[in-house]
Amino acid sequence: MLKGADASVMEQEDFASQHREMTSWDINDIKLPQHVSQTDWFQEWPDSYVKHIYSSEDKNAQRHHSSWAMRNTNNHNSRILKKSCLGVVVCGNDCSTLDGRKIYLRPAICDKARQKQQRKCCPNCNGPLRLLSCRGHGGYPVTNFWRHEGQFIFFQSKGAHDHPRPETKLEAEARRSIQKAKTAFSPTSLRLKRIQEIE
DNA sequence: CAATGCGGGCCTT
DNA sequence: AAGGCCCGCATTG
Ligand SMILES: [Zn+2]
Ligand SMILES: [Zn+2]
């Protein structure tokens, strides 16, 4: 009887300490959990104030990926990588596709590429594009933090995105190649090719 | 070409 | 000191 009760208490304490090990840490702690019983599967859309512990083998974690458009930002701490959200690119006239969906483009991560992007037109209605910035963290963009420690990669996010999800990296890449193919076969482009062949 | 990371430097609180 | 951010440069794919 007593033995059973003790075991139950022990199990609960194990649970509690396990839970503490998994969640009671902050990215800024001097020491992070060393004995993690289980790592998380990569989270593509981390939102709100969440923390994850990934395996150092996880390719997505290694590359500090996110389907949110996150850009590197200088926090003067080489141990902890900080990224902040760029929001989402929307159509300036709020058009919808034929199947009733809104345009939520992925902001280019590179500053220069983003400036170019904002001069382009809506792929659906040809209207102007607008960058909807993220204000999910006290009026500032949501931030993500990454830290490699031993065989783990610790992730922590601060803030809740106050905007729609952008296209994923893959969707954005696909859109670009389609656009590229379109221009390559456009009448003007074909005409230019002819001219170059003659020369 | 663009994604990603680094770090000097500047600004405001 | 801390946080946000701009910018140029390097690496990677
Ligand atoms: Zn549009
Ligand atoms: Zn955001």
Side-chain angles (χ1 to χ4, degrees):
Chain A
M1 299 296 189
L2 282 176
K3 200 173 181 184
D6 282 349
S8 167
V9 167
M10 285 294 285
E11 276 172 26
Q12 288 198 341
E13 284 177 351
D14 276 0
F15 249 35
S17 73
Q18 209 171 82
H19 186 262
R20 209 175 308 121
E21 191 82 334
M22 295 295 284
T23 62
S24 291
W25 54 270
D26 185 271
I27 202 77
N28 292 305
D29 289 349
I30 307 292
K31 276 297 186 182
L32 260 36
Q34 311 251 216
H35 311 295
V36 179
S37 48
Q38 222 165 341
T39 53
D40 299 319
W41 290 108
F42 182 73
Q43 300 298 301
E44 197 179 351
W45 299 102
D47 206 344
S48 76
Y49 297 76
V50 296
K51 291 182 277 188
H52 292 291
I53 302 177
Y54 299 122
S55 159
S56 57
E57 309 288 299
D58 188 311
K59 296 293 181 192
N60 283 313
Q62 283 173 9
R63 287 157 201 173
H64 313 129
H65 279 171
S66 173
S67 283
W68 299 102
M70 307 298 294
R71 74 157 163 197
N72 181 295
T73 182
N74 188 6
N75 63 341
H76 296 280
N77 181 344
S78 52
R79 291 292 190 79
I80 301 174
L81 178 63
K82 177 181 180 180
K83 292 186 160 198
S84 64
C85 181
L86 288 166
V88 62
V89 174
V90 298
C91 172
N93 88 48
D94 195 33
C95 72
S96 301
T97 59
L98 288 174
D99 43 332
R101 313 212 302 172
K102 294 295 179 186
I103 299 295
Y104 296 130
L105 303 184
R106 183 180 190 78
I109 305 300
C110 170
D111 292 352
K112 203 179 164 193
R114 189 161 0 94
Q115 287 163 22
K116 266 189 222 169
Q117 179 184 40
Q118 289 180 68
R119 312 218 141 178
K120 294 179 183 170
C121 310
C122 170
N124 184 54
C125 76
N126 229 40
L129 291 178
R130 231 162 44 75
L131 178 63
L132 196 61
S133 51
C134 181
R135 303 225 162 83
H137 187 211
Y140 286 103
V142 168
T143 49
N144 286 358
F145 298 86
W146 296 89
R147 181 169 157 193
H148 292 231
E149 207 67 53
Q151 51 186 145
F152 305 113
I153 299 175
F154 294 84
F155 170 89
Q156 183 169 345
S157 86
K158 298 182 180 176
H161 298 277
D162 60 342
H163 55 85
R165 293 176 174 187
E167 287 180 322
T168 66
K169 200 173 310 182
L170 287 174
E171 288 167 335
E173 279 170 13
R175 182 186 288 284
R176 269 193 272 168
S177 28
I178 289 170
Q179 188 55 45
K180 184 182 279 181
K182 259 186 171 177
T183 40
F185 282 107
S186 76
T188 58
S189 176
L190 287 175
R191 217 161 276 138
L192 287 172
K193 269 185 193 171
R194 290 290 103 78
I195 293 167
Q196 289 184 342
E197 282 168 17
I198 294 166
E199 289 172 350

